[in-house]
Amino acid sequence: MFQSHVVVKQKFLTFPGLRHAGPCGASKDSTIKLEADQTIYSEGEHALAIYQVEAGAVRIYRLTASGHRHILSFCSKGEWFGLEKGHVRTDFAEAVCETRIRPFPADPDAVISIDLLNIALTNLAKAQDRQLVMTEQSALKRVAAFVQEMAERRPEEPEFDMMMSRSDIADYLGLTIETVARSFTKLRDRHIIRLNGKLQRSVRLLDRGALRALTI
Amino acid sequence: MFQSHVVVKQKFLTFPGLRHAGPCGASKDSTIKLEADQTIYSEGEHALAIYQVEAGAVRIYRLTASGHRHILSFCSKGEWFGLEKGHVRTDFAEAVCETRIRPFPADPDAVISIDLLNIALTNLAKAQDRQLVMTEQSALKRVAAFVQEMAERRPEEPEFDMMMSRSDIADYLGLTIETVARSFTKLRDRHIIRLNGKLQRSVRLLDRGALRALTI
DNA sequence: CGCTTCATTGAGATATGTCAATCAGAGTGG
DNA sequence: CCACTCTGATTGACATATCTCAATGAAGCG
C-alpha cells in the first residue's frame, strides 16, 4: 500500500521523455513530437512519466503470448495515458499518426497538482464502457460504437479523420480486418456514414440517429 | 478537476450503508451481512461509500438498453468496489451468495488513509486484463481464464466453490449459458477440472498446466 | 510500368447463438 | 414413500455470424 503522493515522487524522480530527445524530440516547451508509429514506451520499461496528448492520437496495446496485438485504448487530444499501477510498463504506447504529447510533470513538486485519481477513474470508466462494447456480439455494433466514439471526440466537425488503420480498429475491437471492412461497407451502404480519402479513413456522419441506434 | 481529498470529503459526508440497517444489516463492527442476490446499490443512486469484501462475493454489473446484463467484475475477499468517478452510481452491486462487506470509511477524517488511487489503478488493471480475455475468440479460453481467475483467489485450496451461477458466468464472459456449460463439460472431459456439488459449482483443478496453457 | 501498401470482396469452414428437450437434485404435498 | 414441480445445468440439432484463405481493387511511388 502506498499513498498517492509517495507514488508520484517515486514515479518522477528523473526527467521523463529522455528517449525522445532526437530530431523529433522535445522542444523547449517540453512537448514531444512524434511521427506515425513512433514508440513512446514499451512493456517492461521503467515508468518514468505520464503523458497528455496535445495533438494526434496514441494507441496503447499489449501483445499476447500468442503474438496477437490487443489495443486497450486510443488516446486523442486532452487524454492522459501512461499511469500505471507499478513502476514497470505493462503495455506499449505508440503514435498512431503524427502526434504531439506532453510528459507531465517534469518537476516532482508540480506533479502534486495533477489529479491522478481522476485520470485513473476516467480510464477505468472507459475500460468498463469498452467491456460492454466488446461483449456486444455483433461486429457491426462494435464498429458503430467505434465510429461513435471517434465522432464524439469532434462533436463540432461534420467530417473527421479516424487516423487509425483497419488493422488498428480490428485489434481494438477484437475482430479481423476483413470483418471491420465489411462492417464499414454495411454502414456506408445503409447511408449511415460516407467514407472519403485514399485510405477511406475520413468519415462523414450521414445519419447520427441510425448510428446511435446501433450502439444501444 | 478536483483533488483526491476533496472528492473523498464529498463522497463521505453521510454515514454509508444506511439501507442495510435491517435484520441483515450492519453489526456494531460496521460490517454488513448480505443474503444471496441482495442489492448493495443500484444505478442512479448517490454514491455514498466504497466497500471492501470481507467474505463471499459481489457482482458489479450494468444493464444495457436492450435489457442485457453485463457483469463488469466479481469482487471477492479483500477486493474493493464502489469507487466511482462521479457522485452517481453507474452500475449495480449485488451479493452473489451470503456475503459480508465493510463500508469504508464512515469517518471523513479516517478516509485519508485509504489509498483510493491504488484501488482505482487495481480495478483499472483488472478491467484491462478482462478486455484481453473478452477478445480471445474462443469460448473455451474465456471459461478457462475465468476458472483460472477463481482459482488464483484461493491458491492454497485444492477445491473451491465458484459461487456464481452459469448465468452469472455467461454474463461476465459475454457468452450464453449453453456455451458456458459446454465449455465446462469440455474442461471436464479433458480431465483439466472436476466438477462437484449439486450445482456443479465446486471445482477441483486436475491439470493446472493444461488450464494455464489455455489462457495463454 | 511494376511494386508496395492498404482496403475490399468472395467462398467456404467453423464456432457460437438459438430453440428445444432432457437430466439431476431438492422440496412439497398426497 | 411416491408423484409432482421447480430450478439450474446439460445436451442436441440447426441457423448464422465471423474467421480463414484467397483474389481483386485503388492509390502512391520508384
Side-chain angles (χ1 to χ4, degrees):
Chain A
M1 282 292 187
F2 40 52
Q3 282 289 317
S4 310
H5 295 168
V6 174
V7 176
V8 163
K9 291 196 175 172
Q10 287 171 333
K11 272 187 181 297
F12 297 101
L13 281 176
T14 56
F15 188 92
L18 283 182
R19 70 182 298 165
H20 311 287
C24 299
S27 59
K28 62 172 166 286
D29 67 348
S30 93
T31 68
I32 300 167
K33 284 185 176 55
L34 301 157
E35 300 162 22
D37 296 320
Q38 202 176 334
T39 298
I40 300 164
Y41 58 74
S42 299
E43 183 190 350
E45 288 183 10
H46 209 71
L48 298 171
I50 65 172
Y51 302 90
Q52 190 176 31
V53 179
E54 302 228 315
V58 171
R59 58 173 159 255
I60 309 295
Y61 68 92
R62 289 192 194 167
L63 292 177
T64 66
S66 51
H68 283 54
R69 180 182 71 162
H70 175 74
I71 295 180
L72 289 167
S73 64
F74 291 113
C75 302
S76 46
K77 187 178 173 183
E79 298 185 308
W80 294 81
F81 66 95
L83 181 57
E84 310 256 356
K85 186 166 155 51
H87 307 296
V88 176
R89 296 291 182 201
T90 57
D91 38 43
F92 299 84
E94 289 173 0
V96 170
C97 52
E98 199 171 302
T99 295
R100 219 172 55 241
I101 60 175
R102 181 186 297 271
F104 202 89
D107 182 348
D109 294 325
V111 85
I112 305 299
S113 65
I114 306 182
D115 188 348
L116 296 179
L117 179 60
N118 192 43
I119 293 171
L121 289 174
T122 300
N123 287 337
L124 176 59
K126 281 178 192 163
Q128 289 178 339
D129 288 347
R130 245 169 277 132
Q131 257 188 271
L132 264 76
V133 172
M134 310 302 284
T135 53
E136 289 283 335
Q137 298 94 331
S138 160
L140 185 61
K141 286 185 177 186
R142 293 194 220 182
V143 173
F146 173 77
V147 173
Q148 180 88 355
E149 181 186 341
M150 291 299 119
E152 278 168 3
R153 292 177 176 181
R154 302 156 190 78
E156 68 288 350
E157 298 168 47
E159 186 155 355
F160 57 90
D161 189 341
M162 296 189 294
M163 294 173 288
M164 44 290 280
S165 67
R166 297 292 186 264
S167 171
D168 282 333
I169 299 169
D171 288 350
Y172 181 57
L173 298 177
L175 301 169
T176 58
I177 299 175
E178 295 92 330
T179 303
V180 170
R182 277 184 252 266
S183 299
F184 272 113
T185 302
K186 262 185 200 163
L187 292 177
R188 173 167 51 71
D189 290 352
R190 294 187 189 180
H191 307 291
I192 295 175
I193 62 172
R194 183 188 305 277
L195 293 167
N196 292 317
K198 173 182 82 156
L199 296 172
Q200 302 288 85
R201 295 181 190 176
S202 180
V203 175
R204 175 180 288 271
L205 292 188
L206 302 179
D207 189 343
R208 286 176 186 270
L211 185 66
R212 174 156 228 93
L214 278 173
T215 64
I216 297 181
Chain B
M1 286 292 184
F2 41 49
Q3 283 289 317
S4 309
H5 295 168
V6 175
V7 175
V8 165
K9 293 195 176 175
Q10 288 170 335
K11 273 186 180 297
F12 297 99
L13 281 176
T14 55
F15 189 92
L18 284 180
R19 70 182 299 165
H20 311 286
C24 299
S27 58
K28 60 171 165 287
D29 65 350
S30 91
T31 68
I32 299 168
K33 284 185 175 55
L34 301 156
E35 300 163 22
D37 296 319
Q38 201 175 336
T39 298
I40 299 164
Y41 58 74
S42 300
E43 183 190 350
E45 288 183 10
H46 209 69
L48 298 171
I50 66 173
Y51 302 89
Q52 190 177 30
V53 179
E54 303 228 315
V58 171
R59 61 175 156 254
I60 309 295
Y61 67 92
R62 290 193 193 165
L63 293 176
T64 67
S66 51
H68 282 54
R69 179 182 71 160
H70 175 74
I71 294 180
L72 289 168
S73 64
F74 292 113
C75 302
S76 45
K77 187 178 173 182
E79 298 185 308
W80 295 80
F81 65 96
L83 181 57
E84 311 254 357
K85 185 167 156 50
H87 307 296
V88 176
R89 297 290 183 203
T90 57
D91 38 42
F92 298 82
E94 289 174 1
V96 170
C97 52
E98 198 172 304
T99 296
R100 219 172 55 240
I101 61 175
R102 182 184 297 273
F104 203 90
D107 183 347
D109 293 324
V111 88
I112 304 299
S113 66
I114 307 183
D115 190 348
L116 296 178
L117 179 61
N118 193 42
I119 293 171
L121 288 175
T122 300
N123 287 337
L124 175 59
K126 281 178 193 162
Q128 289 178 338
D129 288 347
R130 245 169 278 135
Q131 258 188 270
L132 264 77
V133 172
M134 308 304 283
T135 54
E136 289 283 335
Q137 299 91 333
S138 159
L140 185 62
K141 287 185 175 186
R142 293 195 221 181
V143 173
F146 172 76
V147 174
Q148 179 89 356
E149 181 185 340
M150 290 300 119
E152 278 168 2
R153 293 177 176 181
R154 302 159 190 77
E156 68 287 351
E157 298 168 46
E159 183 153 357
F160 58 89
D161 190 340
M162 297 189 294
M163 291 171 289
M164 46 288 280
S165 67
R166 298 294 186 260
S167 171
D168 281 333
I169 299 169
D171 288 350
Y172 181 58
L173 298 176
L175 300 169
T176 57
I177 299 175
E178 295 92 332
T179 302
V180 170
R182 276 184 254 265
S183 298
F184 272 113
T185 302
K186 264 185 198 163
L187 292 177
R188 172 167 52 72
D189 291 353
R190 293 188 190 180
H191 306 294
I192 296 175
I193 62 173
R194 181 189 306 277
L195 292 167
N196 292 316
K198 173 182 84 156
L199 296 173
Q200 302 288 87
R201 296 182 190 173
S202 180
V203 176
R204 174 180 289 270
L205 292 188
L206 302 178
D207 188 343
R208 285 175 187 268
L211 184 66
R212 176 158 226 93
L214 279 173
T215 65
I216 296 181

